[in-house]
């Protein structure tokens, strides 16, 4: 049986991944909600790009952690 605390942690990771997906989509599409465009000032474009890359790297790490747990929750 999987450890309950670790299972809770993995569920938190799943939820955080979902939030990051939403942020990534917002940054990529420059939208906060459907039909509501955001404007990123030129000085922040590079920082926004770096943030997007960091979010994507975090999602990749979360995917690996979640996949490993799903493959063997008792490990």
């Amino acid at each position: 049986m999987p450890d309950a605390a670790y299972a809770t942690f993995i569920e938190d990771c799943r939820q955080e991944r979902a939030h990051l997906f939403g942020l990534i989509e917002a940054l990529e599409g420059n939208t906060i909600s459907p039909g509501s465009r955001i404007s990123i000032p030129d000085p922040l474009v590079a920082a926004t790009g770096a943030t997007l890359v960091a979010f994507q790297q975090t999602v990749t790490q979360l995917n690996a952690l979640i996949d490993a747990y799903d493959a063997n929750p008792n490990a």
Side-chain angles (χ1 to χ4, degrees):
M1 171 176 265
D3 179 82
Y6 195 71
T8 300
F9 168 73
I10 292 295
E11 185 54 36
D12 288 345
C13 288
R14 290 181 204 277
Q15 291 176 15
E16 190 60 33
R17 180 178 60 179
H19 292 297
L20 286 171
F21 281 147
L23 287 171
I24 289 168
E25 289 173 1
L27 287 171
E28 288 178 336
N30 289 339
T31 58
I32 294 297
S33 61
S36 177
R37 303 225 17 105
I38 59 172
S39 176
I40 300 172
D42 288 337
L44 295 178
V45 169
T48 302
T51 300
L52 180 59
V53 169
F55 285 168
Q56 291 169 330
Q57 290 171 345
T58 301
V59 168
T60 298
Q61 293 172 339
L62 286 171
N63 283 342
L65 181 66
I66 291 167
D67 289 347
Y69 178 81
D70 287 343
N72 188 1
N74 295 318

